[in-house]
Amino acid sequence: MDLLVLLGVGLLTGTTTVLFGFGGGFVTVPVVVWADSALGGEATRVAVATSVVVMVVNAGFATAVTPRRTLTALRGGGPLLLLLAAGGATGAFATRLAPPALTHWAFVAYTAVTLADVLLRPGFLRPRGQAGSSVPPRPLPALVGAPVGALAAFLGVGGSVMTVPAMRRAGHPMRVAAALANPLTLALSLPAATVHLATATAPAVADGTPLGLVGLVDLRAATALLLGALPVIALLRRHPPHIPDRVHAWAYAGLLGVVVAAMVFSGP
């Protein structure tokens, strides 16, 4: 039953990867917490690590099938990508040291703050540079890479939760902002996944029996999620849905609200 649920969530993850740039974090963390509930308080740390691995594959695949003309918006962004990677590794190490409850409720708090920000602060639901404006979108400053990478890897949310709102306010439509979130997520999640796979010790369930983890990563859950996600990413990149930009932005906000509720009810 768990595997069927994970496959279904994988389908949803593939959809959110293309439509919102969510490589897996917001969707996979709550469901892996549920699937690995036998780990007790350690379930959140395992969910964060598993989410990061899923994000590497989803974001990498989505980037590979994104039109080159879209990715040109990141031209000259090498320093940003390097700082995202450094921040990602730092955040992954911090996850190992932090109490599990802190990671869980920090995830809830950050998601709730982001939801309030996109709804209440001008620039997300209707970014500058649209409606015929001749002002070109601004590039993201490289200096945001380290803190964004560290916080995203620590919480397991991926880069999209921070970069999509930032790129919206810089003037990009949702379609482009979501597509550009994937290479940024890949940059921070690859070093974070390496840390989780190679340097952490797998926790055990209450009776001492290991749960089949590699480091902090539940490979069974990650595999099921990816089997559901990758075909959807390929399909939607080949046949992208035509969603009005304003509706697209409201759907992003709605998904944040669903995730906040899911994590609150699955809390330790």
Side-chain angles (χ1 to χ4, degrees), residues 135-188:
V135 180
R138 301 184 301 267
L140 292 182
L143 289 179
V144 306
V148 165
L151 186 56
F154 177 71
L155 300 180
V157 299
S160 60
V161 62
M162 304 169 199
T163 58
V164 169
M167 286 186 285
R168 285 284 286 172
R169 293 194 171 93
H172 289 291
M174 275 297 298
R175 174 183 56 81
V176 174
L180 295 180
N182 285 307
L184 300 179
T185 295
L186 178 61
L188 71 92

Short mmCIF file of all heavy atoms in Angstrom, two decimals, residues 135-188:
data_model
loop_
_atom_site.label_atom_id
_atom_site.label_comp_id
_atom_site.label_asym_id
_atom_site.label_seq_id
_atom_site.Cartn_x
_atom_site.Cartn_y
_atom_site.Cartn_z
N VAL A 135 10.24 46.56 -19.60
CA VAL A 135 11.32 46.36 -18.64
C VAL A 135 11.72 44.89 -18.62
O VAL A 135 10.88 44.03 -18.33
CB VAL A 135 10.90 46.81 -17.23
CG1 VAL A 135 12.05 46.60 -16.25
CG2 VAL A 135 10.46 48.27 -17.24
N PRO A 136 12.96 44.55 -18.94
CA PRO A 136 13.36 43.13 -18.95
C PRO A 136 13.48 42.58 -17.53
O PRO A 136 13.74 43.32 -16.59
CB PRO A 136 14.72 43.16 -19.65
CG PRO A 136 15.27 44.53 -19.34
CD PRO A 136 14.08 45.44 -19.31
N PRO A 137 13.29 41.27 -17.38
CA PRO A 137 13.46 40.67 -16.05
C PRO A 137 14.88 40.85 -15.53
O PRO A 137 15.84 40.85 -16.28
CB PRO A 137 13.16 39.18 -16.30
CG PRO A 137 12.33 39.16 -17.54
CD PRO A 137 12.84 40.29 -18.38
N ARG A 138 15.01 41.02 -14.22
CA ARG A 138 16.33 41.17 -13.60
C ARG A 138 16.91 39.80 -13.29
O ARG A 138 16.17 38.88 -12.93
CB ARG A 138 16.23 41.97 -12.28
CG ARG A 138 15.66 43.36 -12.42
CD ARG A 138 15.72 44.07 -11.06
NE ARG A 138 14.97 43.32 -10.04
CZ ARG A 138 13.71 43.55 -9.75
NH1 ARG A 138 13.04 44.46 -10.42
NH2 ARG A 138 13.10 42.85 -8.80
N PRO A 139 18.22 39.63 -13.37
CA PRO A 139 18.83 38.36 -12.93
C PRO A 139 18.86 38.29 -11.41
O PRO A 139 18.88 39.32 -10.72
CB PRO A 139 20.24 38.44 -13.51
CG PRO A 139 20.53 39.91 -13.59
CD PRO A 139 19.21 40.57 -13.93
N LEU A 140 18.87 37.08 -10.87
CA LEU A 140 19.01 36.92 -9.42
C LEU A 140 20.44 37.25 -9.02
O LEU A 140 21.38 36.81 -9.67
CB LEU A 140 18.68 35.49 -9.00
CG LEU A 140 17.23 35.03 -9.14
CD1 LEU A 140 17.10 33.60 -8.63
CD2 LEU A 140 16.30 35.95 -8.37
N PRO A 141 20.65 38.01 -7.95
CA PRO A 141 22.03 38.31 -7.51
C PRO A 141 22.71 37.05 -7.00
O PRO A 141 22.11 36.22 -6.32
CB PRO A 141 21.83 39.34 -6.39
CG PRO A 141 20.41 39.16 -5.93
CD PRO A 141 19.63 38.70 -7.13
N ALA A 142 23.99 36.92 -7.33
CA ALA A 142 24.74 35.72 -6.96
C ALA A 142 24.80 35.53 -5.45
O ALA A 142 24.81 34.40 -4.95
CB ALA A 142 26.15 35.79 -7.54
N LEU A 143 24.82 36.62 -4.69
CA LEU A 143 25.01 36.52 -3.24
C LEU A 143 23.86 35.80 -2.54
O LEU A 143 24.03 35.33 -1.41
CB LEU A 143 25.20 37.92 -2.64
CG LEU A 143 26.52 38.61 -2.97
CD1 LEU A 143 26.58 40.00 -2.35
CD2 LEU A 143 27.70 37.77 -2.48
N VAL A 144 22.70 35.69 -3.18
CA VAL A 144 21.60 34.98 -2.53
C VAL A 144 21.81 33.47 -2.59
O VAL A 144 21.11 32.71 -1.90
CB VAL A 144 20.23 35.34 -3.16
CG1 VAL A 144 20.01 36.83 -3.18
CG2 VAL A 144 20.09 34.75 -4.57
N GLY A 145 22.79 33.01 -3.40
CA GLY A 145 22.95 31.58 -3.61
C GLY A 145 23.25 30.80 -2.35
O GLY A 145 22.65 29.76 -2.09
N ALA A 146 24.20 31.29 -1.53
CA ALA A 146 24.60 30.54 -0.34
C ALA A 146 23.45 30.41 0.67
O ALA A 146 23.16 29.29 1.12
CB ALA A 146 25.83 31.18 0.30
N PRO A 147 22.78 31.50 1.07
CA PRO A 147 21.69 31.31 2.04
C PRO A 147 20.51 30.53 1.48
O PRO A 147 19.90 29.73 2.19
CB PRO A 147 21.29 32.75 2.41
CG PRO A 147 21.85 33.62 1.33
CD PRO A 147 23.06 32.92 0.83
N VAL A 148 20.18 30.74 0.21
CA VAL A 148 19.08 29.99 -0.39
C VAL A 148 19.43 28.50 -0.42
O VAL A 148 18.61 27.64 -0.05
CB VAL A 148 18.78 30.51 -1.81
CG1 VAL A 148 17.90 29.52 -2.58
CG2 VAL A 148 18.08 31.86 -1.74
N GLY A 149 20.65 28.17 -0.86
CA GLY A 149 21.05 26.77 -0.92
C GLY A 149 21.05 26.11 0.44
O GLY A 149 20.59 24.98 0.60
N ALA A 150 21.56 26.82 1.46
CA ALA A 150 21.65 26.24 2.79
C ALA A 150 20.26 26.00 3.38
O ALA A 150 19.98 24.92 3.92
CB ALA A 150 22.45 27.17 3.71
N LEU A 151 19.38 26.98 3.30
CA LEU A 151 18.05 26.82 3.89
C LEU A 151 17.23 25.78 3.13
O LEU A 151 16.53 24.96 3.73
CB LEU A 151 17.32 28.17 3.89
CG LEU A 151 15.97 28.21 4.61
CD1 LEU A 151 16.11 27.75 6.05
CD2 LEU A 151 15.38 29.61 4.55
N ALA A 152 17.33 25.80 1.79
CA ALA A 152 16.57 24.84 1.00
C ALA A 152 17.00 23.41 1.29
O ALA A 152 16.17 22.50 1.42
CB ALA A 152 16.72 25.15 -0.49
N ALA A 153 18.31 23.17 1.40
CA ALA A 153 18.80 21.81 1.69
C ALA A 153 18.49 21.41 3.12
O ALA A 153 18.19 20.24 3.39
CB ALA A 153 20.30 21.74 1.43
N PHE A 154 18.56 22.35 4.06
CA PHE A 154 18.27 22.04 5.46
C PHE A 154 16.82 21.60 5.63
O PHE A 154 16.53 20.66 6.37
CB PHE A 154 18.54 23.28 6.31
CG PHE A 154 18.21 23.09 7.77
CD1 PHE A 154 18.99 22.27 8.57
CD2 PHE A 154 17.13 23.73 8.34
CE1 PHE A 154 18.69 22.10 9.92
CE2 PHE A 154 16.81 23.55 9.68
CZ PHE A 154 17.60 22.74 10.48
N LEU A 155 15.90 22.24 4.91
CA LEU A 155 14.48 21.92 5.04
C LEU A 155 14.02 20.87 4.05
O LEU A 155 12.91 20.33 4.20
CB LEU A 155 13.65 23.19 4.85
CG LEU A 155 13.91 24.33 5.82
CD1 LEU A 155 13.02 25.52 5.50
CD2 LEU A 155 13.70 23.89 7.26
N GLY A 156 14.82 20.59 3.01
CA GLY A 156 14.41 19.62 2.01
C GLY A 156 13.39 20.15 1.03
O GLY A 156 12.68 19.37 0.39
N VAL A 157 13.30 21.47 0.88
CA VAL A 157 12.24 22.04 0.04
C VAL A 157 12.69 22.32 -1.38
O VAL A 157 11.86 22.63 -2.24
CB VAL A 157 11.68 23.34 0.65
CG1 VAL A 157 11.09 23.07 2.02
CG2 VAL A 157 12.75 24.43 0.75
N GLY A 158 13.99 22.26 -1.66
CA GLY A 158 14.45 22.60 -3.00
C GLY A 158 14.53 24.10 -3.19
O GLY A 158 14.12 24.88 -2.32
N GLY A 159 15.04 24.53 -4.30
CA GLY A 159 15.23 25.96 -4.53
C GLY A 159 13.99 26.70 -4.95
O GLY A 159 13.92 27.93 -4.85
N SER A 160 12.97 25.98 -5.42
CA SER A 160 11.83 26.66 -6.03
C SER A 160 11.05 27.52 -5.06
O SER A 160 10.51 28.55 -5.43
CB SER A 160 10.88 25.62 -6.65
OG SER A 160 10.42 24.73 -5.66
N VAL A 161 10.99 27.13 -3.81
CA VAL A 161 10.22 27.90 -2.84
C VAL A 161 10.79 29.30 -2.67
O VAL A 161 10.06 30.23 -2.34
CB VAL A 161 10.18 27.18 -1.48
CG1 VAL A 161 11.55 27.03 -0.88
CG2 VAL A 161 9.26 27.91 -0.52
N MET A 162 12.07 29.48 -2.92
CA MET A 162 12.67 30.80 -2.82
C MET A 162 12.89 31.44 -4.18
O MET A 162 12.69 32.64 -4.34
CB MET A 162 14.00 30.69 -2.07
CG MET A 162 13.85 30.06 -0.70
SD MET A 162 15.43 29.64 0.03
CE MET A 162 14.87 28.46 1.26
N THR A 163 13.30 30.63 -5.15
CA THR A 163 13.66 31.23 -6.43
C THR A 163 12.44 31.57 -7.29
O THR A 163 12.48 32.56 -8.02
CB THR A 163 14.59 30.30 -7.23
OG1 THR A 163 13.96 29.03 -7.42
CG2 THR A 163 15.90 30.10 -6.49
N VAL A 164 11.38 30.78 -7.22
CA VAL A 164 10.21 31.11 -8.04
C VAL A 164 9.61 32.46 -7.64
O VAL A 164 9.39 33.32 -8.50
CB VAL A 164 9.15 29.98 -8.00
CG1 VAL A 164 7.83 30.45 -8.63
CG2 VAL A 164 9.66 28.76 -8.75
N PRO A 165 9.34 32.72 -6.34
CA PRO A 165 8.86 34.06 -5.99
C PRO A 165 9.84 35.16 -6.37
O PRO A 165 9.43 36.24 -6.83
CB PRO A 165 8.67 33.98 -4.47
CG PRO A 165 8.41 32.54 -4.21
CD PRO A 165 9.29 31.80 -5.18
N ALA A 166 11.15 34.92 -6.20
CA ALA A 166 12.13 35.94 -6.55
C ALA A 166 12.12 36.23 -8.04
O ALA A 166 12.18 37.40 -8.47
CB ALA A 166 13.53 35.48 -6.11
N MET A 167 12.02 35.20 -8.86
CA MET A 167 12.01 35.41 -10.32
C MET A 167 10.70 36.01 -10.78
O MET A 167 10.66 36.75 -11.76
CB MET A 167 12.33 34.10 -11.03
CG MET A 167 13.79 33.73 -10.92
SD MET A 167 14.26 32.28 -11.89
CE MET A 167 13.55 30.97 -10.90
N ARG A 168 9.61 35.70 -10.10
CA ARG A 168 8.34 36.36 -10.42
C ARG A 168 8.47 37.87 -10.19
O ARG A 168 8.05 38.68 -11.03
CB ARG A 168 7.23 35.81 -9.53
CG ARG A 168 6.75 34.44 -9.91
CD ARG A 168 5.86 34.50 -11.13
NE ARG A 168 4.55 35.03 -10.83
CZ ARG A 168 3.64 35.33 -11.76
NH1 ARG A 168 3.91 35.15 -13.03
NH2 ARG A 168 2.46 35.79 -11.42
N ARG A 169 9.04 38.23 -9.06
CA ARG A 169 9.17 39.66 -8.76
C ARG A 169 10.20 40.33 -9.64
O ARG A 169 10.20 41.55 -9.78
CB ARG A 169 9.50 39.84 -7.27
CG ARG A 169 8.34 39.42 -6.38
CD ARG A 169 8.51 39.90 -4.94
NE ARG A 169 7.26 39.65 -4.24
CZ ARG A 169 6.99 38.55 -3.53
NH1 ARG A 169 7.92 37.61 -3.43
NH2 ARG A 169 5.83 38.40 -2.93
N ALA A 170 11.09 39.53 -10.24
CA ALA A 170 12.05 40.08 -11.19
C ALA A 170 11.43 40.30 -12.57
O ALA A 170 12.04 40.92 -13.43
CB ALA A 170 13.26 39.16 -11.32
N GLY A 171 10.21 39.76 -12.78
CA GLY A 171 9.52 40.00 -14.03
C GLY A 171 9.23 38.80 -14.90
O GLY A 171 8.66 38.93 -15.98
N HIS A 172 9.59 37.58 -14.47
CA HIS A 172 9.36 36.40 -15.28
C HIS A 172 7.92 35.89 -15.12
O HIS A 172 7.36 35.92 -14.03
CB HIS A 172 10.30 35.26 -14.86
CG HIS A 172 11.72 35.49 -15.23
ND1 HIS A 172 12.16 35.48 -16.54
CD2 HIS A 172 12.81 35.73 -14.46
CE1 HIS A 172 13.48 35.70 -16.56
NE2 HIS A 172 13.89 35.86 -15.32
N PRO A 173 7.31 35.40 -16.20
CA PRO A 173 6.04 34.69 -16.06
C PRO A 173 6.23 33.38 -15.31
O PRO A 173 7.35 32.86 -15.23
CB PRO A 173 5.59 34.46 -17.51
CG PRO A 173 6.87 34.48 -18.30
CD PRO A 173 7.77 35.44 -17.60
N MET A 174 5.15 32.82 -14.77
CA MET A 174 5.24 31.59 -13.99
C MET A 174 5.88 30.47 -14.79
O MET A 174 6.67 29.69 -14.26
CB MET A 174 3.86 31.16 -13.51
CG MET A 174 3.41 31.81 -12.22
SD MET A 174 4.43 31.40 -10.77
CE MET A 174 4.22 29.63 -10.64
N ARG A 175 5.54 30.35 -16.06
CA ARG A 175 6.07 29.26 -16.88
C ARG A 175 7.59 29.29 -16.90
O ARG A 175 8.25 28.26 -16.75
CB ARG A 175 5.51 29.38 -18.30
CG ARG A 175 6.08 28.40 -19.30
CD ARG A 175 5.51 28.69 -20.69
NE ARG A 175 5.76 30.05 -21.10
CZ ARG A 175 6.91 30.49 -21.62
NH1 ARG A 175 7.92 29.65 -21.79
NH2 ARG A 175 7.05 31.75 -21.98
N VAL A 176 8.17 30.47 -17.06
CA VAL A 176 9.63 30.60 -17.12
C VAL A 176 10.24 30.47 -15.73
O VAL A 176 11.27 29.81 -15.54
CB VAL A 176 10.01 31.95 -17.77
CG1 VAL A 176 11.52 32.17 -17.70
CG2 VAL A 176 9.54 31.99 -19.22
N ALA A 177 9.61 31.09 -14.72
CA ALA A 177 10.13 31.02 -13.36
C ALA A 177 10.21 29.58 -12.88
O ALA A 177 11.19 29.16 -12.25
CB ALA A 177 9.26 31.85 -12.42
N ALA A 178 9.18 28.79 -13.19
CA ALA A 178 9.18 27.37 -12.78
C ALA A 178 10.25 26.59 -13.52
O ALA A 178 10.93 25.73 -12.93
CB ALA A 178 7.81 26.76 -13.03
N ALA A 179 10.43 26.86 -14.81
CA ALA A 179 11.44 26.14 -15.58
C ALA A 179 12.85 26.46 -15.09
O ALA A 179 13.71 25.58 -14.98
CB ALA A 179 11.31 26.49 -17.06
N LEU A 180 13.10 27.73 -14.75
CA LEU A 180 14.43 28.12 -14.28
C LEU A 180 14.72 27.62 -12.87
O LEU A 180 15.88 27.50 -12.48
CB LEU A 180 14.57 29.65 -14.33
CG LEU A 180 14.52 30.28 -15.72
CD1 LEU A 180 14.66 31.79 -15.62
CD2 LEU A 180 15.61 29.70 -16.63
N ALA A 181 13.68 27.33 -12.10
CA ALA A 181 13.89 26.81 -10.75
C ALA A 181 14.57 25.44 -10.78
O ALA A 181 15.28 25.08 -9.83
CB ALA A 181 12.56 26.72 -10.00
N ASN A 182 14.37 24.68 -11.84
CA ASN A 182 14.92 23.32 -11.88
C ASN A 182 16.45 23.29 -11.95
O ASN A 182 17.07 22.57 -11.16
CB ASN A 182 14.30 22.54 -13.05
CG ASN A 182 12.88 22.11 -12.74
OD1 ASN A 182 12.63 21.49 -11.72
ND2 ASN A 182 11.95 22.45 -13.61
N PRO A 183 17.12 24.03 -12.82
CA PRO A 183 18.59 24.01 -12.77
C PRO A 183 19.15 24.58 -11.48
O PRO A 183 20.20 24.13 -10.99
CB PRO A 183 19.01 24.85 -13.99
CG PRO A 183 17.81 25.62 -14.39
CD PRO A 183 16.64 24.79 -14.01
N LEU A 184 18.46 25.55 -10.89
CA LEU A 184 18.91 26.09 -9.61
C LEU A 184 18.75 25.05 -8.50
O LEU A 184 19.62 24.91 -7.63
CB LEU A 184 18.12 27.36 -9.27
CG LEU A 184 18.24 28.51 -10.28
CD1 LEU A 184 17.40 29.70 -9.85
CD2 LEU A 184 19.70 28.93 -10.45
N THR A 185 17.65 24.31 -8.54
CA THR A 185 17.44 23.23 -7.56
C THR A 185 18.49 22.14 -7.73
O THR A 185 19.00 21.60 -6.75
CB THR A 185 16.03 22.64 -7.73
OG1 THR A 185 15.06 23.64 -7.40
CG2 THR A 185 15.83 21.43 -6.83
N LEU A 186 18.82 21.81 -8.97
CA LEU A 186 19.85 20.80 -9.23
C LEU A 186 21.19 21.22 -8.63
O LEU A 186 21.90 20.40 -8.03
CB LEU A 186 19.99 20.57 -10.74
CG LEU A 186 21.05 19.57 -11.18
CD1 LEU A 186 20.75 18.19 -10.63
CD2 LEU A 186 21.13 19.54 -12.71
N ALA A 187 21.53 22.50 -8.77
CA ALA A 187 22.82 22.98 -8.28
C ALA A 187 22.96 22.80 -6.78
O ALA A 187 24.03 22.45 -6.27
CB ALA A 187 23.01 24.45 -8.65
N LEU A 188 21.88 23.03 -6.02
CA LEU A 188 22.00 22.93 -4.57
C LEU A 188 21.73 21.51 -4.05
O LEU A 188 22.28 21.10 -3.02
CB LEU A 188 21.05 23.92 -3.89
CG LEU A 188 19.53 23.67 -3.95
CD1 LEU A 188 19.06 22.86 -2.75
CD2 LEU A 188 18.78 25.00 -4.00
#
